[in-house]
C-alpha cells in the first residue's frame, strides 16, 4: 500500500524557518514534491524534485526561499522553508508520481497525495 506521510508543520513567526518531511512507503517515485492550499483558495504548486534530484522546479512565489531535497535511501523528501511570510500559511501536501512530470503545476498530474501538514506563519 502506497503512503505519503508528511511531518514538521507548525507555527512560526514571519521571517522564520520551518522544515517539512514526506516519507513514502510502498514504492519509489520518479517525481515527488509539494503543493499547498490556503483556506478558500485552490491548491497551489510549490515545487517538485526528480528521482535523481537533478531536476528541481519551484513556484515563483517560493523561489529563493524554499528548497526541496531528497534522500532516496530513506524514500523521503524535504521542504526547507526560509524567510517565511504570512501568505505562506497553508496546508502543505506531499505529492508523488511514477512519471517524470517536468514541474507540472496541475494537481491532476500527481497520482499520490499525502494527508497534509499545517504551516501557520504569524505576522
Amino acid at each position: 500500500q502506497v503512503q505519503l506521510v508528511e511531518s514538521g508543520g507548525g507555527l512560526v513567526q514571519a521571517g522564520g524557518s520551518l522544515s517539512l518531511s514526506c516519507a513514502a512507503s510502498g514504492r519509489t517515485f520518479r517525481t515527488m514534491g509539494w503543493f499547498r492550499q490556503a483556506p478558500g483558495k485552490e491548491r497551489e504548486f510549490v515545487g517538485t524534485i526528480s528521482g535523481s534530484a537533478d531536476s528541481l522546479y519551484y513556484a515563483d512565489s517560493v523561489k529563493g526561499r524554499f528548497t526541496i531535497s531528497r534522500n532516496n535511501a530513506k524514500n523521503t523528501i524535504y521542504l526547507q522553508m526560509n524567510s517565511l511570510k504570512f501568505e505562506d500559511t497553508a496546508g502543505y501536501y506531499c505529492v508523488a508520481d511514477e512519471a517524470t512530470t517536468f514541474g507540472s503545476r496541475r494537481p491532476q498530474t500527481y497520482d499520490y497525495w499525502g494527508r497534509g501538514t499545517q504551516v501557520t506563519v504569524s505576522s
Side-chain angles (χ1 to χ4, degrees):
Q1 182 181 359
V2 173
Q3 273 193 314
L4 302 177
V5 179
E6 304 97 336
S7 61
L11 175 64
V12 63
Q13 286 189 331
S17 298
L18 206 60
S19 181
L20 306 183
S21 300
C22 171
S25 60
R27 66 171 303 139
T28 58
F29 299 97
R30 285 188 179 179
T31 302
M32 294 185 71
W34 298 90
F35 275 71
R36 66 185 182 184
Q37 187 170 22
K41 295 189 176 181
E42 294 184 351
R43 285 193 176 182
E44 176 189 20
F45 173 85
V46 174
T48 57
I49 185 168
S50 63
S52 57
D54 58 352
S55 293
L56 290 155
Y57 299 89
Y58 295 100
D60 288 344
S61 58
V62 307
K63 204 172 292 183
R65 299 188 299 121
F66 289 12
T67 302
I68 298 174
S69 59
R70 183 168 187 159
N71 184 330
N72 286 336
K74 295 184 178 181
N75 210 10
T76 298
I77 65 167
Y78 307 92
L79 179 65
Q80 177 64 41
M81 303 181 291
N82 298 329
S83 302
L84 281 161
K85 304 175 182 180
F86 176 75
E87 50 265 40
D88 294 318
T89 296
Y92 282 72
Y93 296 86
C94 180
V95 299
D97 200 85
E98 298 164 5
T100 301
T101 64
F102 300 103
S104 172
R105 283 150 169 76
R106 299 173 65 245
Q108 302 92 317
T109 299
Y110 302 90
D111 287 337
Y112 300 95
W113 289 73
R115 290 190 171 187
T117 185
Q118 179 66 30
V119 171
T120 302
V121 184
S122 62
S123 58

